[in-house]
């Protein structure tokens, strides 16, 4: 009847009012945390109240699910906790990096957990665990104690209210986009969060992934773009014109003397500075700052512009999980090269053990296949180890090699800026050792060094002499007498620029960039628009550029250069001794598919102690390479007799 209906409508109005107040308060708390200042939060609110209200609407939307349950108070508290925890997570991440919390962080959460002791003290970790426990207890108490509505639950009405609320938020968002109040794509994601608010930007990163289909996309558009590219050349190894190409992506590497607020008694990177004076060099414009190694890596390997993907997206965790992609590795293999990757960190970080197969690499040597590892004070492997790994890789083939190397020594967190400078100085020594080693080999060789992003310090653009947080240095050492030209390039242009210096024109994105870079009066907007068409076609479209089908197949990626071998196994006095080759601290003995405690002695010996004789009746014995996350990367079985 009418009276009951009035009561229901008043109840709905009361809950909408509560949602509105709670959402506004949560929005204020989240923004105050992000800006590390209540004053800055009010400044943001006053500067553009419409954007603030849009964020409040987005925060409010999940609360409307309470209309589908009788436990309305419980739903209010749960939604409030989720938003507040997201805001706290954003504040925590911004305490040691400049990139805010995005949906991409959820996809790489397991890697973040593996680094938790690097960025938090044990006391903080304990407090975090206690806090999470208290939150869990609180939720359980609220579930039991919070009032339950006595009114009859109407699911049709509840769904209608949720639908209307969703339509309101979607409509308000589209209007805001059309009016230019908020952007869809973020050139600088850190600044976007400041301008458009956490709720809007995080929601955008959650829902907006991949490359949207360009309006101009079609076979004619792709054909027209291809007609303007520089032609392919036909260099092959038989002509002996192509050198070994080594790319070294240096973790958090940049020139510390560009930081205005510090004085230096000695140059921390003297050898790198010498290389810059003597060889092709310049600034590299990278897609991230303080974090996001895999995205600079993606741009350099593929020649693709990350700006066309969702905000904060890691293609390594989305499209490249199942899709092959044209890459520098595939391109160089077309010329007869063998393609290798090397990284002195865990193989599974950013799923490189999977993604590098999608890029066409033949081998990948992660830290699980390295020896004599030396670590710095914060636990990262020092880069000097990469010299021997590069040499071993070059020696493993008779052909020219393309080697993509990713360093890790410069990784945060940093106890101080002085500590960071010391790490960069040691990286400079690594660069010197590698160049001296390449000089001695007397093979035609090109080595490209560049930083993936600036280190994770709370800097502003005005703190830098070059007024940028998105520029790192690069240099192209070579023994081919290339002219020491200076040029600023985008990360996605680096390999195209490099190959152009070598007069190599191979690969779709390579030739596309080379065509643009040689034209002095080229239209930059058309360049970007056509680039998006190509990227969409190659990853999401109909592969028109390849005549309708992708020519690339994922490789059977071999981990490590030196194979692990078991020569003989001896059981003596309750100890199992495995003799072989190329064991290391990541080598683990398995009996009947079960891991047993393994002691690494040296590269030719592993020992399993206190093993009961009855277990030796088992026939299934193997050695597996196992990372810290317990993922098995490789295995060698023993088929002989135990002595």
């Amino acid at each position: 009847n009418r009276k009951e209906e009035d009561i229901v409508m008043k109840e709905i109005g009361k809950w909408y009012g509560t949602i509105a107040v709670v959402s506004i308060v949560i929005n204020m708390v989240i923004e105050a945390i992000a800006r590390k200042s209540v004053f800055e939060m009010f400044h943001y609110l006053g500067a553009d109240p419409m954007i603030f209200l849009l964020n409040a609407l987005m925060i409010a939307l999940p609360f409307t699910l309470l209309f589908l349950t009788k436990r309305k108070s419980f739903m209010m508290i749960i939604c409030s906790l989720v938003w507040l925890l997201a805001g706290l997570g954003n504040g925590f991440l911004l305490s040691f990096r400049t990139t805010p919390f995005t949906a991409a962080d959820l996809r790489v959460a397991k890697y973040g957990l593996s680094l938790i002791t690097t960025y938090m003290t044990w006391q903080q970790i304990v407090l975090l665990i206690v806090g999470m426990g208290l939150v869990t207890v609180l939720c359980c108490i609220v579930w039991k104690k919070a009032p339950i509505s006595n009114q009859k639950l109407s699911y049709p009405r509840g769904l209608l209210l949720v639908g209307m609320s969703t339509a309101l938020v979607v409509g308000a968002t589209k209007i805001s986009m059309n009016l230019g109040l908020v952007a869809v794509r973020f050139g600088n994601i850190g600044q976007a969060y400041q301008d458009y608010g956490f709720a809007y930007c995080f929601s955008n990163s959650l829902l907006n992934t991949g490359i949207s289909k360009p309006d101009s996309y079609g076979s004619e558009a792709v054909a027209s773009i291809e007609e303007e590219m520089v032609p392919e050349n036909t260099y092959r190894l038989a002509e002996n014109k192509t050198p070994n190409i080594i790319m070294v992506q240096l973790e958090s590497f940049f020139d510390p003397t560009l930081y205005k607020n510090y004085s230096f008694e000695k140059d921390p990177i003297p050898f790198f500075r010498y290389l810059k004076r003597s060889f092709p060099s310049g600034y590299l414009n990278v897609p991230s700052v303080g974090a996001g190694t895999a995205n600079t890596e993606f741009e350099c390997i593929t020649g693709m512009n990350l700006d066309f993907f969702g905000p904060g997206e890691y293609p390594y965790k989305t499209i490249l999980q199942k899709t092959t992609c044209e890459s520098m590795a595939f391109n160089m293999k077309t010329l007869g090269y063998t393609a290798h990757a090397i990284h002195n960190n865990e193989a599974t970080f950013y799923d490189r053990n999977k993604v590098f197969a999608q890029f066409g690499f033949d081998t990948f040597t992660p830290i699980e296949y390295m020896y004599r590892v030396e670590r710095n004070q914060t636990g990262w492997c020092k880069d000097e180890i990469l010299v021997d790994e590069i040499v071993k890789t070059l020696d493993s083939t008779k052909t020219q090699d393309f080697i993509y190397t990713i360093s890790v020594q410069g990784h945060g967190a940093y106890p101080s800026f002085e500590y960071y400078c010391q790490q960069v100085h040691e990286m400079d020594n690594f660069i010197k050792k590698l160049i001296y080693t390449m000089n001695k080999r007397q093979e035609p060789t090109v080595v490209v060094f560049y930083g993936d992003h600036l280190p994770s310090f709370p800097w502003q653009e005005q703190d830098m002499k070059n007024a940028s947080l998105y520029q790192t240095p690069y240099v192209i050492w070579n023994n081919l007498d290339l002219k020491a030209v200076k040029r600023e390039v985008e990360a996605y242009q680096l390999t195209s620029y490099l190959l152009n210096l070598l007069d190599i024109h191979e690969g779709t994105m390579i030739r596309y960039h080379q065509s643009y870079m040689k034209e002095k009066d080229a239209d930059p907007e058309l360049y970007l628009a056509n680039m998006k068409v190509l990227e969409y076609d190659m990853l999401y479209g109909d592969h028109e550029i390849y005549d309708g089908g992708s020519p690339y197949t994922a490789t059977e990626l071999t981990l490590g250069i030196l194979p692990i071998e078991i020569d003989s196994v001896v059981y003596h006095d309750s100890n199992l001794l495995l003799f072989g080759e190329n064991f290391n601290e990541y080598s683990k003995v398995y009996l009947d598919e079960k891991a047993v405690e393994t002691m690494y002695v040296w590269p030719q010996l592993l020992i399993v102690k206190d093993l009961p004789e009855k277990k030796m009746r088992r026939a299934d014995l193997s050695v597996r390479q196992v990372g810290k996350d317990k993922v098995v990367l490789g295995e060698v079985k023993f088929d002989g007799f135990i002595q």
Side-chain angles (χ1 to χ4, degrees):
N1 57 42
R2 166 158 280 189
K3 185 176 180 180
E4 290 179 349
E5 190 66 21
D6 287 343
I7 294 173
V8 170
M9 295 308 295
K10 286 181 180 179
E11 185 75 5
I12 291 173
K14 182 194 77 172
W15 280 113
Y16 265 123
T18 304
I19 290 172
V21 172
V22 171
S23 299
I24 290 172
V25 171
I26 288 175
N27 196 16
M28 295 172 70
V29 172
I30 287 175
E31 295 301 332
I33 293 172
R35 297 160 203 276
K36 301 180 177 66
S37 167
V38 174
F39 174 80
E40 289 296 327
M41 179 272 294
F42 279 112
H43 177 74
Y44 155 73
L45 191 161
D48 206 323
M50 295 305 295
I51 293 179
F52 181 87
L53 290 175
L54 176 64
N55 279 265
L57 277 176
M58 290 186 162
I59 291 172
L61 184 57
F63 286 94
T64 61
L65 294 174
L66 64 82
F67 294 117
L68 297 174
T69 178
K70 289 188 175 184
R71 295 181 178 270
K72 292 178 170 50
S73 297
F74 177 77
M75 182 62 71
M76 284 287 297
I77 291 173
I78 292 297
C79 289
S80 299
L81 284 173
V82 169
W83 277 115
L84 290 172
L85 288 173
L88 287 169
N90 184 50
F92 171 70
L93 292 177
L94 289 175
S95 69
F96 61 85
R97 74 182 201 191
T98 54
T99 305
F101 182 37
T102 70
D105 290 303
L106 298 175
R107 299 186 181 97
V108 296
K110 65 177 182 179
Y111 312 128
L113 289 175
S114 69
L115 301 178
I116 192 168
T117 55
T118 302
Y119 295 103
M120 297 179 69
T121 65
W122 280 107
Q123 292 88 341
Q124 291 172 328
I125 294 172
V126 170
L127 286 174
L128 175 63
I129 294 172
V130 171
M132 293 175 63
L134 290 175
V135 169
T136 303
V137 171
L138 174 64
C139 290
C140 293
I141 293 173
V142 171
W143 173 263
K144 290 185 176 181
K145 301 294 185 180
I148 300 175
S149 175
N150 294 322
Q151 291 184 346
K152 183 179 179 181
L153 189 63
S154 172
Y155 285 108
R157 178 187 279 121
L159 290 170
L160 178 62
L161 292 171
V162 173
M164 290 171 58
S165 302
T166 303
L168 174 63
V169 173
V170 172
T173 303
K174 288 187 175 180
I175 291 172
S176 299
M177 290 176 178
N178 292 336
L179 292 176
L181 293 176
V182 294
V184 182
R185 298 287 175 180
F186 308 147
N188 181 332
I189 193 167
Q191 189 59 48
Y193 270 64
Q194 292 290 308
D195 294 340
Y196 311 130
F198 173 82
Y200 170 76
C201 292
F202 181 82
S203 300
N204 197 345
S205 73
L206 187 66
L207 302 173
N208 184 6
T209 60
I211 303 175
S212 59
K213 183 177 180 180
D215 294 336
S216 61
Y217 177 68
S219 56
E220 292 183 3
V222 174
S224 176
I225 295 169
E226 188 174 20
E227 286 178 5
E228 300 298 322
M229 294 183 193
V230 297
E232 291 180 314
N233 56 19
T234 56
Y235 284 167
R236 294 296 183 269
L237 290 183
E239 301 177 56
N240 199 29
K241 294 183 178 180
T242 50
N244 293 319
I245 297 176
I246 303 169
M247 299 185 71
V248 183
Q249 179 170 286
L250 299 163
E251 173 64 44
S252 300
F253 184 87
F254 93 120
D255 182 354
T257 63
L258 292 176
Y259 180 50
K260 293 179 181 178
N261 305 326
Y262 191 85
S263 59
F264 296 85
E265 294 182 4
K266 293 182 179 180
D267 186 353
I269 54 169
F271 189 76
F272 190 87
R273 201 173 308 283
Y274 153 73
L275 292 180
K276 286 176 63 180
R277 292 193 301 266
S278 308
F279 297 93
S281 63
Y283 280 123
L284 188 71
N285 295 319
V286 296
S288 59
V289 56
T293 294
N295 280 346
T296 301
E297 190 176 311
F298 169 79
E299 289 201 346
C300 289
I301 291 176
T302 66
M304 292 188 177
N305 188 343
L306 196 71
D307 288 350
F308 303 133
F309 290 82
E313 181 177 355
Y314 288 102
Y316 277 29
K317 299 298 296 179
T318 53
I319 184 66
L320 293 178
Q321 288 287 306
K322 296 183 179 180
T323 303
T324 57
C325 178
E326 181 177 307
S327 68
M328 185 68 170
F330 277 126
N331 292 337
M332 300 315 294
K333 288 170 68 173
T334 301
L335 299 177
Y337 281 67
T338 306
H340 315 269
I342 302 173
H343 182 34
N344 53 337
N345 198 24
E346 277 70 32
T348 56
F349 205 76
Y350 288 118
D351 284 348
R352 287 186 176 99
N353 60 317
K354 299 177 183 177
V355 172
F356 283 166
Q358 308 287 29
F359 282 151
F361 284 100
D362 298 302
T363 72
F364 173 34
T365 304
I367 197 170
E368 290 91 347
Y369 286 81
M370 294 183 182
Y371 308 88
R372 296 179 295 278
V373 172
E374 182 182 358
R375 298 182 182 271
N376 62 17
Q377 295 93 314
T378 54
W380 301 108
C381 178
K382 292 192 173 184
D383 289 342
E384 187 177 356
I385 196 173
L386 297 172
V387 177
D388 288 342
E389 293 302 330
I390 290 172
V391 169
K392 281 193 297 188
T393 303
L394 290 171
D395 290 342
S396 69
T397 70
K398 295 181 179 180
T399 64
Q400 275 98 321
D401 294 292
F402 167 63
I403 303 177
Y404 193 88
T405 309
I406 309 143
S407 96
V408 79
Q409 181 170 352
H411 205 293
Y414 314 108
S416 65
F417 184 60
E418 289 79 5
Y419 170 83
Y420 168 77
C421 291
Q422 176 60 35
Q423 299 310 304
V424 169
H425 181 65
E426 292 186 18
M427 294 165 74
D428 189 65
N429 290 335
F430 148 65
I431 293 170
K432 181 194 295 185
K433 184 175 180 180
L434 178 59
I435 295 306
Y436 284 1
T437 303
M438 293 301 104
N439 256 329
K440 290 179 182 178
R441 292 180 68 89
Q442 297 184 338
E443 296 179 48
T445 303
V446 173
V447 185
V448 186
F449 297 99
Y450 66 93
D452 58 351
H453 53 69
L454 263 64
S456 53
F457 289 106
W459 291 336
Q460 303 295 324
E461 289 183 347
Q462 58 266 28
D463 296 327
M464 300 296 152
K465 293 177 183 178
N466 60 335
S468 175
L469 297 177
Y470 289 86
Q471 286 187 333
T472 63
Y474 77 88
V475 66
I476 303 174
W477 176 89
N478 65 92
N479 53 13
L480 308 174
D481 295 325
L482 297 178
K483 292 182 179 179
V485 293
K486 309 301 176 188
R487 180 162 185 171
E488 179 180 317
V489 298
E490 302 290 336
Y492 52 78
Q493 295 173 332
L494 181 60
T495 50
S496 300
Y497 177 58
L498 166 66
L499 294 184
N500 199 55
L501 293 176
L502 302 175
D503 196 25
I504 297 176
H505 314 288
E506 185 72 39
T508 304
M509 296 307 300
I510 295 293
R511 293 188 296 118
Y512 178 73
H513 295 310
Q514 289 175 342
S515 301
Y516 171 77
M517 297 174 79
K518 77 173 185 177
E519 297 291 339
K520 294 183 179 180
D521 300 322
D523 182 351
E525 291 187 5
L526 181 62
Y527 168 62
L528 291 172
N530 287 342
M531 194 193 314
K532 182 178 181 180
V533 170
L534 284 178
E535 291 186 26
Y536 177 82
D537 180 62
M538 296 161 73
L539 289 177
Y540 301 92
D542 300 324
H543 300 132
E544 298 287 352
I545 196 69
Y546 306 128
D547 297 323
S550 174
Y552 303 112
T553 302
T555 53
E556 292 291 334
L557 190 66
T558 299
L559 272 74
I561 293 297
L562 302 177
I564 295 171
E565 299 174 353
I566 307 174
D567 296 330
S568 61
V569 179
V570 176
Y571 181 70
H572 176 70
D573 198 18
S574 299
N575 296 324
L576 188 68
L577 288 75
L578 288 83
F579 298 93
E581 298 290 336
N582 305 315
F583 301 137
N584 66 9
E585 61 184 293
Y586 294 92
S587 302
K588 306 299 178 186
V589 177
Y590 277 68
L591 290 175
D592 268 356
E593 303 297 317
K594 293 183 179 180
V596 293
E597 188 172 346
T598 305
M599 181 174 72
Y600 166 68
V601 183
W602 55 70
Q604 293 78 32
L605 177 63
L606 298 175
I607 296 178
V608 179
K609 290 187 173 183
D610 302 322
L611 192 65
E613 185 175 0
K614 63 180 180 180
K615 287 193 175 182
M616 299 318 304
R617 297 172 187 159
R618 306 177 185 222
D620 189 0
L621 185 152
S622 65
V623 172
R624 301 178 183 180
Q625 295 303 106
V626 184
K628 290 182 179 179
D629 55 5
K630 308 303 180 184
V631 173
V632 176
L633 301 171
E635 178 181 24
V636 56
K637 291 182 177 293
F638 179 65
D639 297 324
F641 294 97
I642 298 176
Q643 300 176 33

